Amino acid sequence: MSRKRVAVLISGRGSNMTALIEAAKADDYPAEIVLVVSNRPDASGIARAREAGIATAIVDHTSFGEDRAAFEGALDAELRAHRIDLVCLAGFMRLLTPSFVTRWSGRLLNIHPALLPQFKGLHTHRRAIEAGVKRHGATVHFVVPEMDSGPIVVQEAVPVLEGDTEETLAARVLEVEHRIYPQALRLVAEGRASLAAGEPS
Ligand code: GRF
């Protein structure tokens, strides 16, 4: 079976992108990272992708003002030009509209630094500490129109330790992210995890 062609969308350093690039080097990995797209021209992950010999594109959302449809049209054109099969959002900080999400339904993954459905949205580590939870973690899920709400593919928990700060907890969760994203992409690329039509989100 030919390997799935994957695009990774980033907005910053792209450490999850790097984890996916490394995992895809395995001979038996069912996907290849063929494109990295950033909505921010200054994303340091772009340089890393280029060093890895991977095609990159910048689709700068600020060039489109408030016109989300135009931004997503440009994004979609890049993905189609590269014959992309699966899209991995990795530290991508733009909300995608229902029309884009629907067009890529079942082929769009995201990693969220919390144990969904807990702590949807931003600042998850600070909120976990403030809430006094003893377990936190990361989730890879299919993207659906509602933010941080799609069917879960892989999740892994970490303990919240006495004296944890937002930074120490974030670092512990990031290690998990770098493990579970490659696992989740493998499951989806091998067809062992799919967004069944009508599956409860
Ligand atoms: C990190 O906070 C990570 O938890 C979340 O997005 C942020 C940037 O990740 N997924 P990355 O280093 O750009 O992959």
Side-chain angles (χ1 to χ4, degrees), residues 12-17 90-91 93 111-113 125 173-174 177-178:
R13 70 189 159 193
S15 73
N16 276 286
M17 169 202 72
M93 301 310 278
I111 188 154
H112 183 73
H125 310 305
V173 170
L174 199 60
E177 292 181 41
H178 297 165

Side-chain angles (χ1 to χ4, degrees), residues 53-120:
I54 294 171
T56 60
I58 306 289
V59 182
D60 184 345
H61 64 279
T62 63
S63 314
F64 300 90
E66 293 308 307
D67 189 343
R68 283 183 182 272
F71 165 65
E72 293 179 351
L75 194 50
D76 195 59
E78 279 295 342
L79 298 174
R80 282 184 287 109
H82 286 81
R83 293 179 287 110
I84 296 303
D85 299 309
L86 296 171
V87 179
C88 290
L89 306 181
F92 185 68
M93 301 310 278
R94 301 297 296 168
L95 272 188
L96 295 164
T97 66
S99 92
F100 184 93
V101 169
T102 304
R103 193 158 53 243
W104 287 89
S105 178
R107 302 188 294 154
L108 186 55
L109 293 172
N110 182 47
I111 188 154
H112 183 73
L115 292 176
L116 290 175
Q118 256 190 348
F119 305 125
K120 296 180 182 179

